Amino acid sequence: MTDAYPQVIISETGAQYLRQGQAWMYRNNLVRIEDAAEDGGLVRVLTENGEYLGTGFCSLTSHVTVRILTRDPEACIDREFFRRRLASAYDFRKTVEKDNLCDCRLVFGEADQLPGLTVDRYQDILVAQISILGMEKIKDMIYAILMDLLEQDGRPVCGVYERNDLRAREKEGLPLYKGFWKNAVLPTQLVIDENGVRMNVDIENGQKTGYFLDQKSNRVLLRRMAAGKKVLDCFCHTGGFALNAAYGGAAQVTAVDVSASALAEGRKNAELNHLEQRISFEQADVFDYLDQCRPGQFDIIVLDPPAFTKSRQTVDHAYSGYQRINRRAMELLRTGGYLITCSCSRYMEMDLFEKMLKESAQEAGV
């Protein structure tokens, strides 16, 4: 076992979570940390009995003390280590996104064992978002490896745009900023191709990295279900789900959002795809809009709301919000209809989300 990295000692309570697969260690489970540990540096996590639980990035300021990179005690975490991780993430996308690799998510944080790193590809530009200090310190190496991997595969990019303006960085003592890496001069307004649907994307000012590429597979699923159906897309933003429903031959598509600017972009996207006659964009509060609809009005309803909670302290309030819209959507679907429902809040965990859906179904009588 390598002893190259300072040690962090974790309580037995915290150790149980790591043994179950949790990829981060919270400060309230910290017993002690060696003085040699550096903010953003690598540390080894052990129990008080000396059981090794993983090696990862340390934060001396965040409530997440360690984000696990590997559970191999012999791992040497160097450039080659990260090259293998990035190559593995890219190989996975080449398997599941092989027909649309020019517009897809390439790196998805902990899901690719690369905590604090999200990378989306929009045509010839990578848009990166880094949320932790450890990854920020090695970003030049990460970007260079990614660009090299893509070039070797015959799919080179022109540059990297950094969308490091997310508030989570403040918990790591990181500044908020956005702009091209190494001051490249490239456009920030792009037209991407999402499995045949063209979308205007603003990588500088759009949500997240510019668009929600993480939902791309689900939008294709809706497309395949939509032929001849009446579809309601709630919290539609710039129209991703609605456009895919119309592209798939839906008889009627209604897209609802409270944001006038998002709807304006949605209409532009519909025109770009010659689908403007098949989608009705409605500006309204989704809760109010659902209350005005009648039972059995739709064949498919999409609920993809923004995060209703960004902390554990407000989970109960968020639970009520999710339950209200999901119950109402179930009431509005015809018998045999389909509900596509989502949560982008990490505090609304899977078990809790499923519990909410079961209760909503019981209350709706479906």
Side-chain angles (χ1 to χ4, degrees):
M1 178 183 292
T2 178
D3 294 318
Y5 308 120
Q7 295 183 358
V8 170
I9 308 303
I10 191 174
S11 69
E12 181 56 30
T13 299
Q16 290 177 13
Y17 288 113
L18 292 188
R19 293 188 194 108
Q20 292 168 7
Q22 183 169 283
W24 47 85
M25 174 199 149
Y26 290 111
R27 184 160 300 280
N28 60 349
N29 296 131
L30 175 65
V31 175
R32 63 180 180 276
I33 184 169
E34 289 188 348
D35 291 340
E38 297 181 3
D39 201 9
L42 293 166
V43 293
R44 295 170 61 243
V45 180
L46 293 90
T47 66
E48 291 185 272
N49 293 327
E51 176 189 355
Y52 171 82
L53 294 170
T55 303
F57 289 124
C58 174
S59 173
L60 301 180
T61 58
S62 171
H63 66 292
V64 181
T65 301
V66 183
R67 297 177 188 270
I68 301 297
L69 274 168
T70 179
R71 298 178 189 271
D72 177 4
E74 303 296 336
C76 178
I77 303 176
D78 56 8
R79 183 185 182 90
E80 183 56 31
F81 173 91
F82 286 104
R83 185 177 182 86
R84 288 194 301 270
R85 282 285 165 86
L86 290 164
S88 178
Y90 184 48
D91 285 344
F92 177 73
R93 269 78 208 183
K94 286 172 68 176
T95 300
V96 300
E97 301 265 21
K98 60 182 179 181
D99 297 326
N100 204 198
L101 278 171
C102 285
D103 295 297
C104 72
R105 176 151 294 180
L106 296 180
V107 181
F108 204 162
E110 280 83 357
D112 290 313
Q113 296 182 295
L114 289 163
L117 176 67
T118 298
V119 183
D120 287 336
R121 176 170 185 161
Y122 298 102
Q123 296 293 298
D124 294 331
I125 296 175
L126 299 182
V127 181
Q129 199 162 65
I130 292 174
S131 60
I132 64 172
L133 178 58
M135 196 62 73
E136 178 88 2
K137 284 185 170 184
I138 61 170
K139 70 174 187 177
D140 289 346
M141 178 183 71
I142 294 294
Y143 297 160
I145 292 172
L146 260 176
M147 294 181 78
D148 184 55
L149 285 170
L150 293 170
E151 184 169 2
Q152 288 187 13
D153 195 46
R155 295 183 174 92
V157 293
C158 298
V160 180
Y161 190 84
E162 297 184 282
R163 276 298 301 268
N164 289 333
D165 54 345
L166 67 167
R167 308 296 298 185
R169 288 173 57 90
E170 294 177 333
K171 297 178 180 179
E172 298 264 333
L174 289 169
L176 308 188
Y177 66 92
K178 56 185 176 179
F180 277 105
W181 178 55
K182 293 189 174 180
N183 299 314
V185 180
L186 295 165
T188 57
Q189 304 275 339
L190 307 170
V191 176
I192 69 168
D193 182 322
E194 184 186 302
N195 297 308
V197 173
R198 301 177 73 202
M199 299 285 295
N200 291 291
V201 172
D202 182 347
I203 62 173
E204 180 179 8
N205 299 307
Q207 292 288 327
K208 305 295 183 180
T209 65
Y211 184 53
F212 298 97
L213 284 174
D214 53 329
Q215 286 278 36
K216 190 169 73 168
S217 296
N218 289 331
R219 289 190 285 266
V220 170
L221 175 64
L222 170 62
R223 183 193 302 186
R224 293 170 180 165
M225 299 164 55
K229 304 290 196 302
K230 294 181 179 179
V231 179
L232 174 63
D233 179 12
C234 299
F235 309 98
C236 68
H237 195 237
T238 58
F241 277 106
L243 286 162
N244 274 273
Y247 191 88
Q252 174 186 316
V253 181
T254 305
V256 182
D257 202 286
V258 74
S259 168
S261 59
L263 291 172
E265 290 301 314
R267 292 187 184 97
K268 289 180 184 177
N269 288 328
E271 292 170 0
L272 188 62
N273 292 277
H274 308 292
L275 296 171
E276 64 271 22
Q277 300 302 319
R278 305 180 64 181
I279 305 174
S280 173
F281 289 92
E282 305 287 342
Q283 184 179 3
D285 178 280
V286 169
F287 288 88
D288 295 338
Y289 187 89
L290 292 175
D291 286 341
Q292 295 169 10
C293 295
R294 65 181 186 278
Q297 186 172 343
F298 301 101
D299 299 299
I300 302 174
I301 296 178
V302 180
L303 296 177
D304 187 19
F308 285 175
T309 178
K310 295 186 178 180
S311 73
R312 294 197 182 279
Q313 286 69 39
T314 57
V315 167
D316 289 346
H317 179 74
Y319 188 96
S320 298
Y322 284 116
Q323 189 173 33
R324 178 182 166 189
I325 60 169
N326 279 276
R327 180 185 67 246
R328 185 58 182 157
M330 291 175 187
E331 293 170 346
L332 299 179
L333 285 167
R334 67 163 177 81
T335 301
Y338 295 91
L339 174 63
I340 298 175
T341 186
C342 318
S343 165
C344 64
S345 172
R346 67 187 181 93
Y347 296 104
M348 190 69 178
E349 296 174 347
M350 182 64 74
D351 290 345
L352 193 61
F353 195 70
E354 290 182 352
K355 176 176 179 288
M356 175 276 299
L357 289 173
K358 289 177 182 177
E359 290 180 358
S360 299
Q362 289 171 354
E363 292 180 12
V366 298

